[in-house]
Amino acid sequence: MLPIETIAERPCFGGVQGTYRVASQACATPMRFSVFRPPQAEVRRVPVVYCLAGLECNEETFMIKAGAQRYAAEFGLMLVSPDTSPREVRIPGDDESWDFGLGAGFYVDAVQAPWSAHYRMQSFVADELPRVVAANFPGNVDRQSILGHSMGGHGALVCALRYPERYRAVSAFAPIVAPSQVPWGEKAFAKFFGDDKRVWAANDATALAATSVFSGEILIDQGLDDKFLRTQLLPYKFVVACEGTRIAPRLREHAGYDHSYWFIQTFIADHLRCHADRLYRD
Amino acid sequence: MLPIETIAERPCFGGVQGTYRVASQACATPMRFSVFRPPQAEVRRVPVVYCLAGLECNEETFMIKAGAQRYAAEFGLMLVSPDTSPREVRIPGDDESWDFGLGAGFYVDAVQAPWSAHYRMQSFVADELPRVVAANFPGNVDRQSILGHSMGGHGALVCALRYPERYRAVSAFAPIVAPSQVPWGEKAFAKFFGDDKRVWAANDATALAATSVFSGEILIDQGLDDKFLRTQLLPYKFVVACEGTRIAPRLREHAGYDHSYWFIQTFIADHLRCHADRLYRD
C-alpha cells in the first residue's frame, strides 16, 4: 500500500535528505515530495512537520533554501515537503500563468472540472501524505504540525484550522490569510471552486477563524518590506478575525524583511523550536 | 574607483545579503559577486571570508545552499562569493562543456589566447575583489580567509598557498587538490595554460605544498561517498605532499556523505568557526 519510489537520498546533518515519488490516489497522478529524516529517526519514530512552499516552488525548494535541516536534526523533527501541484498529468491552461496551475495548486481540493480530477492537494497533504509517511518512514503521525510560506502559509493555516485534531502547531511565513479577498486567491478559487462561496470560505483561514476549534500554537512571521504585504497577504485580517475566538495567532512583524527565503532562513529556527515544543509535549 | 552596481539587497539574519556587479579590470568584463554583511558590520569593519563555488555554480549558489549566513552572523564574518567565470563576454567554445569555460573558470589566470583576455579569475579573487570590498563594504581586508567547494576548493587552496600573506585560514569541501593529475584539471589547464608545466604547478595545491610558506589553518572535509573522490579529488595526494613541509592540513573524512551542498551545509559551521578563530586572533 502506497509504495514509494526513491529518487535520491543524501546524508545531511547526520540524517537523510531524500526525494520520493508516490502514485497519489488523492491526485490520481504521481506526486513528488521530499523528506528529511533527522538522526533521532534511526532509533525511534519522530514527530513530523509538513512544510508547504509557495508559488512556483517544488518539493525541493523549502529543503534547499530554508536552512531547516540543522534545527530539525537538533530538535528531532522529520520534515516533509510536497510539491506545490501535480506535474506529471497536464491540464489545458495549467501553465498559462505563474500563479495558477503548475507550481500553484494552492493546497485545496478543486471541485470544478477539469481541475477537480487532479488538483486535490489538500487531500494529498492532509490525508494521504501522513499515510505515506507512516507506511514508509519512521515518522510519528500522531504528533504532527504544519508550516508554510506565502501560498504554503495559506495551505498550512487552512489544514490546521480545518483538521485541528491532526496538527499540534501551525506556523507561517508571509501567508496568504484571506485568499477569498485578494487577487491570487480570487483567481485560483474561481477556477478551482467556481461560484460556491461556501467552498471558498472553507478554504480561507480568515473565514475559518470564527468556527475552528484548533487549539495549538499559531506563529506567523511577516516582513514589513514584503512587496505583497498590502495586496495579497494582509495578515492583520486574520488577526482581527481571530479576536474573540479561541484562535490566538502570534504575529511577529520584521522591519526590512521581504518575501524571500532570506527572510525564511532568518526565522526558521524560531518556528521549528515552537513546533518541537508542542510536538514533544505530552 | 571600482564602483559597484547593486543588483539586489535583502535583510538576512540581521545583516544584509546582496548581489553586485563590478566592471572588473582583472577580467576586462563586468563580474558578479555576492556579499553577506553580518550585523556586526553596522558598527565596525569585520573580517572577510571569500567563498568559492564549484563547477556550474554562480555567485549565488554558495549563498543560497550552504546555510552559511547564520554562522557568519553569529561569528561576525563578511562572506564574499564571486561568480565562477566571466559571463557577459563570450569566447567561442566557452559553453561546449559543463566543466570548462562558463561556470568553470577554475580560479586561475589563463595565459593562452583566447582565454587569457578575460579568464583571469585568480587576479579577480585574490587582487581585485579585496579592493572592491575595501572600497565598498565594511570589510577588514587585513583579516581575510578563503574557502571553497570542489573547483572552488582548488581555488581556495591555491590562493592561500600562493599568497600566504593575504589569508589567515583556508578550508575546502571536497577540493580538487591536484588538478595537474586529474581529468577536470588537465582539460582546463591545457586550454588555459598550454604546455608550460611551470604554470600548471603554480596553480596546483599539491605541487605548491613543497614551497609555500602558508602558516594558517587548513581544514579539508571530504565525503567518502563522493562519486568524484577517486577520479578528480584525491585529497590524499595533497596530504602526502605536505608531509615534511610546514603545511599541515587537517583532513576529515565523512562516511556516507557525497559531493553536494547537503554535505557542505552539514559541516559549514565547523569551517566558519575555524576561520573566525584565526581571523579574530591578534
Side-chain angles (χ1 to χ4, degrees), chain A residues 6 9 37 56 64 98 103 117 188 191 203 207 212 229 274:
Chain A
T6 300
E9 289 191 330
R37 304 202 300 265
E56 300 190 284
I64 290 174
W98 65 277
K191 295 190 185 218
N203 289 283
S212 175
L229 174 56
C274 162

Side-chain angles (χ1 to χ4, degrees), chain A residues 22-75:
Chain A
V22 63
S24 168
Q25 295 167 357
C27 295
T29 183
M31 288 293 299
R32 284 186 178 232
F33 61 100
S34 57
V35 175
F36 174 69
R37 304 202 300 265
Q40 295 86 345
E42 291 283 320
V43 292
R44 60 177 167 83
R45 287 192 175 264
V46 296
V48 182
V49 183
Y50 298 89
C51 306
L52 309 184
L55 290 166
E56 300 190 284
C57 295
N58 63 29
E59 77 284 355
E60 288 198 316
T61 312
F62 177 87
M63 295 296 197
I64 290 174
K65 294 187 169 181
Q69 289 86 352
R70 178 201 187 288
Y71 304 104
E74 181 177 337
F75 302 149

